[in-house]
Coordinates of all heavy atoms in Angstrom, one line a residue:
A94 N 236.3 99.5 99.9 CA 236.2 99.2 98.5 C 236.3 97.6 98.2 O 235.6 97.0 97.5 CB 237.1 100.0 97.5
S95 N 237.5 97.1 98.8 CA 237.6 95.6 98.6 C 236.6 94.7 99.3 O 236.3 93.8 98.8 CB 239.0 95.3 98.9 OG 239.3 95.6 100.2
A96 N 236.2 95.2 100.5 CA 235.0 94.5 101.2 C 233.8 94.5 100.4 O 233.2 93.6 100.4 CB 234.9 95.2 102.6
A97 N 233.4 95.6 99.8 CA 232.3 95.7 98.9 C 232.5 94.8 97.7 O 231.5 94.1 97.3 CB 232.1 97.1 98.4
A98 N 233.6 94.6 97.2 CA 233.9 93.8 96.0 C 233.7 92.3 96.3 O 233.1 91.5 95.8 CB 235.3 94.0 95.5
Q99 N 234.4 91.9 97.6 CA 234.1 90.6 98.1 C 232.6 90.2 98.3 O 232.2 89.2 98.1 CB 234.9 90.4 99.3 CG 236.5 90.5 99.1 CD 236.9 89.4 98.2 OE1 236.2 88.3 98.1 NE2 237.9 89.6 97.5
R100 N 231.9 91.2 98.8 CA 230.4 91.0 99.1 C 229.7 90.7 97.8 O 228.9 89.8 97.7 CB 229.8 92.1 99.9 CG 228.3 91.9 100.1 CD 227.7 92.9 101.1 NE 228.3 92.6 102.4 CZ 227.9 91.6 103.3 NH1 226.8 90.7 102.8 NH2 228.4 91.4 104.5
A101 N 230.0 91.5 96.8 CA 229.3 91.4 95.4 C 229.7 89.9 94.9 O 228.8 89.3 94.3 CB 229.7 92.4 94.5
I102 N 230.9 89.5 95.0 CA 231.3 88.3 94.6 C 230.5 87.0 95.4 O 229.9 86.2 94.6 CB 232.8 88.0 94.7 CG1 233.5 89.0 93.7 CG2 233.2 86.6 94.3 CD1 234.9 89.0 93.8
A103 N 230.5 87.3 96.6 CA 229.9 86.2 97.4 C 228.3 86.2 97.1 O 227.7 85.2 97.0 CB 230.0 86.6 98.9
D104 N 227.6 87.3 97.0 CA 226.3 87.4 96.7 C 226.1 86.6 95.3 O 225.0 86.1 95.1 CB 225.7 88.7 96.7 CG 225.8 89.5 97.9 OD1 225.7 88.6 99.0 OD2 225.6 90.7 98.1
G105 N 227.0 86.9 94.3 CA 226.8 86.3 93.0 C 226.8 84.8 93.1 O 226.0 84.2 92.5
Y106 N 227.7 84.2 93.9 CA 227.8 82.8 94.1 C 226.5 82.3 94.8 O 225.9 81.2 94.5 CB 229.1 82.3 94.7 CG 230.2 82.3 94.0 CD1 231.2 83.2 94.0 CD2 230.4 81.2 93.0 CE1 232.4 83.2 93.2 CE2 231.4 81.1 92.2 CZ 232.3 82.2 92.2 OH 233.4 82.0 91.3
R107 N 226.1 83.1 95.9 CA 224.9 82.7 96.5 C 223.7 82.5 95.7 O 222.8 81.6 95.7 CB 224.6 83.5 97.7 CG 225.6 83.4 98.8 CD 224.9 84.2 100.1 NE 225.9 84.3 101.2 CZ 226.6 85.4 101.4 NH1 226.6 86.4 100.6 NH2 227.4 85.4 102.5
E108 N 223.6 83.4 94.7 CA 222.4 83.5 93.8 C 222.5 82.2 92.8 O 221.4 81.8 92.4 CB 222.5 84.8 93.0 CG 222.2 86.0 93.6 CD 222.2 87.2 92.9 OE1 222.6 87.1 91.7 OE2 222.3 88.4 93.4
L109 N 223.7 81.7 92.7 CA 223.8 80.6 91.9 C 223.6 79.2 92.6 O 223.7 78.1 92.1 CB 225.1 80.5 91.2 CG 225.4 81.7 90.1 CD1 226.9 81.8 89.8 CD2 224.4 81.3 88.8
G110 N 223.4 79.2 94.0 CA 223.3 78.1 94.8 C 224.6 77.6 95.3 O 224.6 76.5 95.9
Y111 N 225.8 78.4 95.2 CA 227.0 77.8 95.6 C 227.2 78.4 97.0 O 227.1 79.6 97.2 CB 228.0 78.3 94.8 CG 229.4 77.6 94.8 CD1 229.7 76.3 94.3 CD2 230.6 78.3 95.5 CE1 230.8 75.7 94.5 CE2 231.8 77.7 95.5 CZ 231.8 76.5 95.0 OH 233.1 75.7 95.2
P112 N 227.6 77.5 97.9 CA 227.7 78.0 99.4 C 228.8 78.8 99.7 O 229.8 78.7 99.3 CB 227.9 76.6 100.1 CG 228.5 75.7 99.2 CD 227.9 76.2 97.8
V113 N 228.4 79.8 100.4 CA 229.4 80.9 100.9 C 229.0 81.1 102.5 O 227.8 81.3 102.7 CB 229.4 82.1 100.2 CG1 230.5 83.1 100.6 CG2 229.4 81.9 98.6
E114 N 229.9 81.1 103.3 CA 229.7 81.5 104.7 C 230.5 82.8 105.0 O 231.6 83.0 104.5 CB 230.3 80.3 105.7 CG 229.6 79.0 105.3 CD 230.2 77.8 106.2 OE1 231.0 78.2 107.1 OE2 230.0 76.7 105.9
E115 N 229.8 83.5 105.9 CA 230.5 84.7 106.4 C 230.8 84.5 107.8 O 230.2 84.1 108.8 CB 229.4 85.9 106.4 CG 229.2 86.3 104.9 CD 228.2 87.6 105.0 OE1 228.2 88.3 105.9 OE2 227.6 87.8 103.9
L116 N 232.3 84.7 108.1 CA 232.8 84.5 109.5 C 233.4 85.7 110.0 O 233.9 86.6 109.2 CB 233.9 83.3 109.3 CG 233.4 82.0 108.7 CD1 234.6 81.0 108.5 CD2 232.3 81.3 109.5
T117 N 233.5 85.8 111.3 CA 234.2 86.9 111.8 C 235.8 86.5 111.8 O 236.2 85.3 111.8 CB 233.9 87.1 113.3 OG1 234.2 86.1 114.1 CG2 232.4 87.5 113.3
P118 N 236.7 87.4 111.9 CA 238.1 86.9 112.1 C 238.4 86.1 113.3 O 239.2 85.1 113.1 CB 238.8 88.3 112.2 CG 238.0 89.3 111.5 CD 236.5 88.8 111.8
E119 N 237.8 86.4 114.4 CA 237.9 85.5 115.5 C 237.5 84.1 115.3 O 238.1 83.1 115.8 CB 237.0 86.1 116.7 CG 237.6 87.5 117.2 CD 237.1 88.6 116.2 OE1 236.1 88.5 115.5 OE2 237.7 89.7 116.4
E120 N 236.3 83.8 114.6 CA 236.0 82.5 114.2 C 236.9 81.8 113.3 O 237.1 80.6 113.4 CB 234.5 82.7 113.6 CG 233.3 82.9 114.5 CD 232.1 83.3 113.8 OE1 232.2 83.8 112.5 OE2 231.0 82.8 114.3
V121 N 237.5 82.6 112.3 CA 238.5 81.9 111.5 C 239.6 81.5 112.3 O 240.1 80.3 112.1 CB 238.8 83.0 110.2 CG1 240.0 82.4 109.6 CG2 237.7 83.3 109.5
I122 N 240.1 82.3 113.2 CA 241.3 81.9 113.9 C 241.0 80.8 114.9 O 241.9 79.9 115.1 CB 241.9 83.2 114.6 CG1 242.5 84.2 113.6 CG2 243.0 82.8 115.7 CD1 242.9 85.5 114.2
R123 N 239.8 80.8 115.4 CA 239.4 79.8 116.4 C 239.2 78.4 115.8 O 239.7 77.4 116.2 CB 238.2 80.3 117.1 CG 237.8 79.3 118.2 CD 236.3 79.6 118.8 NE 235.3 79.4 117.8 CZ 234.2 80.1 117.6 NH1 233.9 80.9 118.5 NH2 233.4 79.8 116.7
D124 N 238.5 78.4 114.5 CA 238.0 77.2 114.0 C 238.6 76.7 112.7 O 238.7 75.5 112.4 CB 236.5 77.4 113.7 CG 235.6 77.6 114.8 OD1 236.0 77.3 115.9 OD2 234.7 78.4 114.6
L125 N 239.5 77.6 112.0 CA 240.1 77.2 110.7 C 241.6 77.5 110.6 O 242.3 76.5 110.4 CB 239.4 78.1 109.6 CG 237.8 77.7 109.4 CD1 237.2 78.6 108.3 CD2 237.5 76.3 109.2
E126 N 241.9 78.7 110.8 CA 243.4 79.0 110.6 C 244.0 79.9 111.7 O 243.9 81.0 111.6 CB 243.5 79.7 109.2 CG 243.1 79.0 107.9 CD 244.0 77.8 107.6 OE1 245.1 77.7 108.3 OE2 243.7 76.9 106.8
P127 N 244.4 79.2 112.8 CA 245.0 79.9 113.9 C 246.2 80.8 113.6 O 246.4 81.7 114.3 CB 245.3 78.9 114.9 CG 245.4 77.6 114.2 CD 244.5 77.7 113.0
G128 N 246.9 80.5 112.5 CA 248.1 81.3 112.3 C 247.9 82.5 111.4 O 248.9 83.2 111.2
L129 N 246.7 82.8 110.9 CA 246.5 84.1 110.1 C 246.6 85.3 111.0 O 246.1 85.3 112.1 CB 245.3 84.0 109.4 CG 245.1 82.9 108.3 CD1 243.6 82.9 107.6 CD2 246.2 83.1 107.2
A130 N 247.0 86.4 110.3 CA 247.0 87.7 110.9 C 245.7 88.5 110.3 O 245.7 88.7 109.2 CB 248.2 88.5 110.7
L131 N 244.7 88.6 111.2 CA 243.5 89.1 110.6 C 243.0 90.5 111.3 O 241.8 90.7 111.4 CB 242.4 88.1 110.7 CG 242.6 86.8 109.9 CD1 241.4 85.9 110.3 CD2 242.6 87.2 108.5
E132 N 244.0 91.2 111.8 CA 243.7 92.4 112.6 C 243.1 93.5 111.7 O 242.4 94.4 112.3 CB 244.9 92.9 113.3 CG 245.4 92.1 114.4 CD 246.4 91.0 113.8 OE1 246.6 91.0 112.6 OE2 247.0 90.2 114.6
N133 N 243.6 93.5 110.4 CA 243.1 94.6 109.5 C 242.1 94.2 108.5 O 241.9 94.8 107.4 CB 244.3 95.1 108.7 CG 245.4 95.7 109.6 OD1 245.0 96.4 110.6 ND2 246.6 95.3 109.5
V134 N 241.2 93.3 108.8 CA 240.1 92.9 108.0 C 239.1 93.8 108.0 O 238.6 94.3 109.1 CB 239.6 91.4 108.4 CG1 238.3 91.1 107.5 CG2 240.7 90.4 108.1
T135 N 238.5 94.2 106.9 CA 237.3 95.0 106.7 C 236.1 94.2 106.2 O 236.3 93.5 105.2 CB 237.5 96.1 105.7 OG1 238.7 97.0 106.2 CG2 236.2 97.0 105.6
G136 N 235.1 94.0 107.0 CA 234.0 93.3 106.7 C 234.2 91.8 107.1 O 235.1 91.6 107.8
P137 N 233.3 90.9 106.8 CA 233.5 89.5 107.0 C 234.6 88.8 106.3 O 235.0 89.3 105.3 CB 232.2 88.9 106.7 CG 231.6 89.8 105.6 CD 232.1 91.1 105.9
V138 N 234.9 87.6 106.9 CA 235.8 86.7 106.1 C 234.9 85.7 105.4 O 234.1 85.1 106.0 CB 236.8 86.0 106.9 CG1 237.7 85.1 106.1 CG2 237.7 86.9 107.6
Y139 N 235.1 85.5 104.0 CA 234.1 84.8 103.4 C 234.8 83.3 103.2 O 236.0 83.3 102.7 CB 233.8 85.4 101.9 CG 233.0 86.6 102.0 CD1 233.7 87.9 102.0 CD2 231.6 86.6 102.1 CE1 232.9 89.0 102.1 CE2 231.0 87.8 102.3 CZ 231.6 88.9 102.2 OH 230.9 90.1 102.4
F140 N 234.1 82.3 103.5 CA 234.6 80.9 103.4 C 233.8 80.2 102.4 O 232.5 80.2 102.5 CB 234.4 80.3 104.8 CG 234.8 78.9 104.8 CD1 236.1 78.4 104.2 CD2 234.1 77.8 105.4 CE1 236.5 77.1 104.3 CE2 234.5 76.6 105.5 CZ 235.7 76.2 104.8
Y141 N 234.5 79.7 101.4 CA 233.8 78.9 100.4 C 234.1 77.4 100.6 O 235.1 76.8 100.2 CB 234.4 79.3 99.0 CG 234.0 80.7 98.5 CD1 234.6 81.8 99.2 CD2 232.9 81.0 97.7 CE1 234.3 83.1 98.7 CE2 232.6 82.2 97.3 CZ 233.2 83.2 97.9 OH 233.0 84.7 97.6
P142 N 233.2 76.6 101.2 CA 233.6 75.3 101.7 C 233.8 74.2 100.6 O 234.4 73.2 100.9 CB 232.4 74.9 102.7 CG 231.3 75.8 102.4 CD 232.0 77.1 101.8
R143 N 233.1 74.4 99.5 CA 233.1 73.5 98.4 C 234.4 73.5 97.5 O 234.8 72.7 96.8 CB 232.0 73.6 97.6 CG 230.7 72.9 98.1 CD 229.6 72.7 97.0 NE 230.1 72.0 96.0 CZ 229.2 71.8 94.9 NH1 228.2 72.5 94.7 NH2 229.6 70.9 94.0
D144 N 235.2 74.7 97.7 CA 236.5 74.9 96.9 C 237.5 73.8 97.4 O 237.4 73.4 98.6 CB 237.1 76.3 97.2 CG 236.2 77.3 96.4 OD1 235.1 76.9 95.9 OD2 236.7 78.4 96.4
V145 N 238.2 73.3 96.4 CA 239.3 72.5 96.8 C 240.7 72.9 96.2 O 240.7 73.8 95.3 CB 239.0 71.0 96.2 CG1 237.7 70.5 96.7 CG2 239.0 71.1 94.6
H146 N 241.7 72.3 96.7 CA 243.0 72.5 95.9 C 243.6 71.2 95.4 O 243.5 70.2 96.2 CB 244.0 73.5 96.6 CG 244.5 72.9 98.1 ND1 243.8 73.1 99.3 CD2 245.6 72.3 98.3 CE1 244.5 72.5 100.2 NE2 245.6 72.0 99.7
V147 N 244.4 71.3 94.5 CA 244.9 70.2 93.7 C 246.5 70.4 93.5 O 246.9 71.4 93.2 CB 244.2 69.9 92.4 CG1 244.9 68.8 91.7 CG2 242.8 69.9 92.5
L148 N 247.2 69.3 94.0 CA 248.6 69.4 93.8 C 248.9 68.7 92.4 O 248.9 67.4 92.3 CB 249.3 68.6 94.9 CG 249.1 69.1 96.2 CD1 249.8 68.4 97.3 CD2 249.2 70.7 96.4
G149 N 249.2 69.5 91.4 CA 249.5 69.0 90.1 C 250.6 68.0 90.1 O 250.7 67.0 89.3
D150 N 251.7 68.3 90.8 CA 252.9 67.5 90.5 C 252.8 66.1 91.3 O 253.6 65.3 91.1 CB 254.2 68.3 91.2 CG 254.0 68.7 92.7 OD1 252.8 68.7 93.2 OD2 255.0 69.0 93.3
V151 N 251.6 66.0 92.1 CA 251.3 64.6 92.7 C 250.3 64.0 91.8 O 250.5 62.8 91.5 CB 250.8 64.9 94.1 CG1 250.5 63.5 94.7 CG2 251.8 65.7 95.0
L152 N 249.4 64.7 91.3 CA 248.4 64.2 90.4 C 248.8 63.6 89.3 O 248.6 62.4 88.8 CB 247.3 65.3 90.1 CG 246.2 64.9 89.1 CD1 244.9 65.6 89.4 CD2 246.5 65.1 87.7
L153 N 249.8 64.3 88.5 CA 250.3 63.9 87.2 C 250.9 62.4 87.2 O 250.4 61.6 86.4 CB 251.3 64.8 86.6 CG 250.6 66.2 86.0 CD1 251.6 67.2 85.6 CD2 249.8 65.7 84.7
P154 N 251.9 62.2 88.0 CA 252.4 60.8 88.0 C 251.4 59.8 88.3 O 251.4 58.6 87.7 CB 253.5 60.8 89.0 CG 254.0 62.4 89.2 CD 252.6 63.1 89.0
A155 N 250.5 60.0 89.2 CA 249.6 59.1 89.6 C 248.5 58.7 88.5 O 248.3 57.5 88.2 CB 248.7 59.5 90.8
V156 N 248.1 59.7 87.7 CA 247.2 59.5 86.7 C 247.9 58.9 85.5 O 247.3 57.9 84.8 CB 246.5 60.7 86.3 CG1 245.7 60.7 85.1 CG2 245.7 61.3 87.4
L157 N 249.1 59.2 85.2 CA 249.8 58.7 84.0 C 250.1 57.1 84.5 O 250.1 56.4 83.5 CB 251.1 59.4 83.8 CG 250.8 60.8 83.0 CD1 252.1 61.6 83.0 CD2 250.4 60.6 81.6
D158 N 250.5 56.9 85.6 CA 250.8 55.5 86.0 C 249.5 54.8 85.8 O 249.5 53.4 85.3 CB 251.2 55.4 87.5 CG 252.6 55.8 87.6 OD1 253.3 55.9 86.6 OD2 253.2 55.8 88.8
R159 N 248.4 55.2 86.2 CA 247.1 54.5 86.0 C 246.8 54.4 84.6 O 246.1 53.3 84.2 CB 246.0 55.3 86.9 CG 244.6 54.5 86.8 CD 244.9 53.2 87.7 NE 243.6 52.5 87.7 CZ 242.6 52.6 88.8 NH1 243.1 53.4 89.9 NH2 241.6 52.0 88.9
A160 N 247.0 55.4 83.8 CA 246.8 55.2 82.4 C 247.7 54.1 81.7 O 247.2 53.3 80.9 CB 247.1 56.5 81.6
R161 N 248.9 54.0 82.2 CA 249.7 52.9 81.6 C 249.2 51.5 82.1 O 249.2 50.6 81.2 CB 251.2 53.1 82.3 CG 252.0 54.2 81.7 CD 253.5 54.2 82.2 NE 254.2 55.4 81.8 CZ 254.4 56.5 82.4 NH1 253.7 56.6 83.8 NH2 255.1 57.6 82.1
A162 N 248.8 51.4 83.3 CA 248.2 50.2 83.9 C 246.9 50.0 83.0 O 246.6 48.7 82.8 CB 247.8 50.3 85.3
A163 N 246.1 50.9 82.5 CA 245.0 50.6 81.5 C 245.5 50.3 80.2 O 244.5 50.0 79.4 CB 244.0 51.8 81.6
G164 N 246.7 50.5 79.8 CA 247.1 50.0 78.5 C 247.7 51.1 77.7 O 248.2 50.9 76.5
A165 N 247.7 52.4 78.2 CA 248.2 53.4 77.4 C 249.8 53.4 77.2 O 250.4 53.1 78.2 CB 247.9 55.0 78.0
D166 N 250.2 53.7 76.1 CA 251.6 53.9 75.8 C 252.1 55.3 76.0 O 251.8 56.2 75.1 CB 252.0 53.4 74.3 CG 253.5 53.4 73.9 OD1 254.3 53.6 74.8 OD2 253.9 53.4 72.8
V167 N 252.9 55.6 77.0 CA 253.1 57.0 77.3 C 254.6 57.2 77.0 O 255.5 56.6 77.5 CB 253.0 57.3 78.9 CG1 253.4 58.8 79.2 CG2 251.6 57.0 79.3
R168 N 254.9 58.0 76.0 CA 256.2 58.4 75.4 C 256.7 59.8 75.6 O 256.1 60.7 75.2 CB 256.2 58.1 73.9 CG 255.7 56.7 73.5 CD 255.7 56.6 72.1 NE 255.3 55.3 71.6 CZ 255.1 54.9 70.4 NH1 255.5 55.7 69.4 NH2 254.6 53.7 70.1
I169 N 257.5 59.9 76.7 CA 257.9 61.3 77.1 C 259.2 61.6 76.3 O 260.0 60.7 76.2 CB 258.2 61.4 78.5 CG1 257.0 60.8 79.4 CG2 258.6 62.7 79.1 CD1 255.8 61.7 79.0
G170 N 259.4 62.8 75.8 CA 260.6 63.3 75.1 C 260.4 63.1 73.6 O 261.3 63.3 72.9
E171 N 259.1 62.7 73.2 CA 259.0 62.6 71.8 C 257.9 63.7 71.3 O 256.8 63.9 71.9 CB 258.3 61.2 71.5 CG 259.3 60.1 71.8 CD 258.8 58.9 71.3 OE1 258.0 58.8 70.2 OE2 259.1 57.7 71.9
Q172 N 258.3 64.5 70.4 CA 257.6 65.7 69.9 C 257.0 65.3 68.6 O 257.5 64.8 67.7 CB 258.4 66.8 69.9 CG 257.7 68.2 69.5 CD 258.6 69.4 69.5 OE1 259.8 69.3 70.0 NE2 258.1 70.5 69.1
V173 N 255.6 65.8 68.5 CA 254.9 65.7 67.2 C 255.1 67.0 66.5 O 254.8 68.0 67.0 CB 253.4 65.3 67.5 CG1 252.6 65.4 66.1 CG2 253.2 64.0 68.2
E174 N 255.8 67.0 65.4 CA 256.1 68.2 64.6 C 255.0 68.7 63.7 O 254.8 69.7 63.6 CB 257.4 68.0 63.7 CG 258.6 67.5 64.5 CD 259.2 68.7 65.3 OE1 258.7 69.8 65.1 OE2 260.0 68.4 66.1
S175 N 254.2 67.6 63.2 CA 253.2 68.1 62.4 C 252.1 66.9 62.4 O 252.3 65.8 62.6 CB 253.6 68.0 60.9 OG 252.4 68.2 60.0
L176 N 250.7 67.5 62.4 CA 249.6 66.4 62.5 C 249.6 65.6 61.1 O 249.0 64.4 61.0 CB 248.4 67.1 62.7 CG 248.2 67.8 64.0 CD1 246.9 68.5 64.2 CD2 248.5 66.8 65.2
D177 N 250.1 66.1 60.1 CA 250.0 65.5 58.7 C 250.8 64.1 58.8 O 250.5 63.2 58.0 CB 250.7 66.3 57.7 CG 249.9 67.6 57.5 OD1 248.7 67.6 57.8 OD2 250.4 68.6 57.2
A178 N 251.7 64.0 59.6 CA 252.6 62.7 59.8 C 251.9 61.7 60.7 O 252.5 60.6 60.8 CB 254.1 63.0 60.1
V179 N 251.0 62.1 61.3 CA 250.3 61.2 62.4 C 249.5 60.1 61.8 O 248.8 60.2 60.9 CB 249.4 62.0 63.4 CG1 248.6 61.0 64.3 CG2 250.3 63.0 64.1
R180 N 249.7 58.8 62.3 CA 249.1 57.7 61.7 C 248.1 57.2 62.9 O 248.5 56.4 63.8 CB 249.9 56.6 61.2 CG 250.7 57.0 60.1 CD 249.9 57.2 58.8 NE 250.7 57.6 57.6 CZ 250.9 58.8 57.3 NH1 250.2 59.9 58.0 NH2 251.7 59.2 56.3
A181 N 246.9 57.7 63.0 CA 246.0 57.3 64.2 C 244.5 57.5 63.6 O 244.4 58.4 62.7 CB 246.2 58.1 65.3
D182 N 243.6 57.0 64.2 CA 242.2 57.2 63.8 C 241.8 58.5 64.3 O 240.9 59.2 63.8 CB 241.3 56.0 64.4 CG 241.7 54.7 63.9 OD1 241.8 54.5 62.7 OD2 241.9 53.8 64.7
A183 N 242.4 59.0 65.5 CA 241.9 60.2 66.1 C 243.1 60.8 66.9 O 244.0 60.1 67.2 CB 240.8 60.1 67.1
V184 N 243.3 62.2 66.8 CA 244.4 62.9 67.4 C 243.7 63.9 68.4 O 242.8 64.6 68.1 CB 245.3 63.7 66.4 CG1 246.3 64.3 67.2 CG2 245.9 62.7 65.5
L185 N 244.2 63.9 69.6 CA 243.6 64.7 70.7 C 244.9 65.5 71.1 O 245.9 65.3 71.7 CB 243.1 63.9 71.9 CG 242.7 64.6 73.2 CD1 241.7 65.7 72.9 CD2 242.2 63.7 74.3
C186 N 244.7 67.0 70.8 CA 245.8 67.9 71.0 C 245.5 68.6 72.4 O 244.5 69.3 72.6 CB 245.8 69.0 70.0 SG 246.0 68.4 68.3
C187 N 246.4 68.2 73.3 CA 246.3 68.8 74.7 C 247.7 69.3 75.1 O 248.2 69.2 76.2 CB 245.9 67.7 75.6 SG 244.4 66.8 75.3
A188 N 248.3 70.1 74.2 CA 249.5 70.6 74.4 C 249.7 71.9 74.9 O 250.7 72.6 74.8 CB 250.5 70.4 73.2
G189 N 248.7 72.5 75.5 CA 248.8 74.0 76.0 C 248.9 74.9 74.9 O 248.4 74.8 73.8
R190 N 249.9 75.8 75.0 CA 250.2 76.7 74.0 C 250.8 76.0 72.8 O 250.9 76.5 71.7 CB 251.1 77.8 74.6 CG 250.5 78.7 75.5 CD 251.2 80.0 75.8 NE 251.3 80.9 74.5 CZ 250.3 81.7 74.1 NH1 249.2 81.8 74.9 NH2 250.4 82.4 73.1
G191 N 251.4 74.8 73.0 CA 251.9 74.0 71.9 C 250.9 73.7 70.9 O 251.2 73.3 69.7
N192 N 249.6 73.7 71.3 CA 248.7 73.4 70.3 C 248.6 74.4 69.1 O 248.3 74.1 68.1 CB 247.1 73.7 71.0 CG 246.8 72.4 71.9 OD1 247.4 71.2 71.8 ND2 246.0 72.7 72.8
A193 N 249.1 75.6 69.3 CA 249.0 76.7 68.3 C 250.0 76.3 67.2 O 250.0 76.6 66.1 CB 249.3 78.0 68.8
D194 N 251.2 75.5 67.6 CA 252.1 75.1 66.7 C 251.6 74.1 65.8 O 252.0 73.9 64.6 CB 253.4 74.6 67.4 CG 254.0 75.6 68.2 OD1 254.0 76.9 67.7 OD2 254.7 75.3 69.2
L195 N 250.8 73.2 66.3 CA 250.2 72.1 65.6 C 249.0 72.5 64.8 O 248.6 72.0 63.7 CB 249.7 71.0 66.5 CG 250.8 70.4 67.4 CD1 250.2 69.4 68.5 CD2 251.8 69.5 66.5
L196 N 248.2 73.6 65.3 CA 247.0 74.1 64.6 C 247.2 75.6 64.4 O 246.6 76.4 65.3 CB 245.8 73.8 65.5 CG 245.5 72.3 65.8 CD1 244.7 72.2 66.9 CD2 245.1 71.6 64.6
P197 N 247.9 76.0 63.3 CA 248.1 77.4 63.0 C 246.8 78.2 63.0 O 245.8 77.6 62.5 CB 248.9 77.5 61.7 CG 249.6 76.1 61.7 CD 248.6 75.2 62.4

Side-chain angles (χ1 to χ4, degrees):
S95 59
Q99 290 299 331
R100 177 167 293 281
I102 292 169
D104 289 345
Y106 278 106
R107 288 194 187 101
E108 289 174 9
L109 293 167
Y111 195 70
V113 187
E114 300 175 15
E115 294 187 17
L116 305 175
T117 66
E119 293 76 17
E120 288 172 324
V121 172
I122 291 171
R123 184 191 67 208
D124 300 330
L125 296 177
E126 296 291 351
L129 290 178
L131 298 176
E132 295 85 359
N133 297 317
V134 171
T135 298
V138 178
Y139 295 96
F140 178 48
Y141 294 78
R143 283 192 62 189
D144 288 11
V145 301
H146 64 272
V147 180
L148 305 185
D150 57 346
V151 180
L152 175 148
L153 279 173
V156 174
L157 287 169
D158 283 349
R159 188 61 176 265
R161 291 185 183 96
D166 178 14
V167 181
R168 304 179 184 178
I169 305 301
E171 296 190 25
Q172 183 170 352
V173 178
E174 301 288 351
S175 169
L176 297 181
D177 296 332
V179 171
R180 299 292 177 261
D182 299 309
V184 180
L185 174 54
C186 299
C187 304
R190 293 198 66 84
N192 285 334
D194 298 326
L195 299 167
L196 298 166

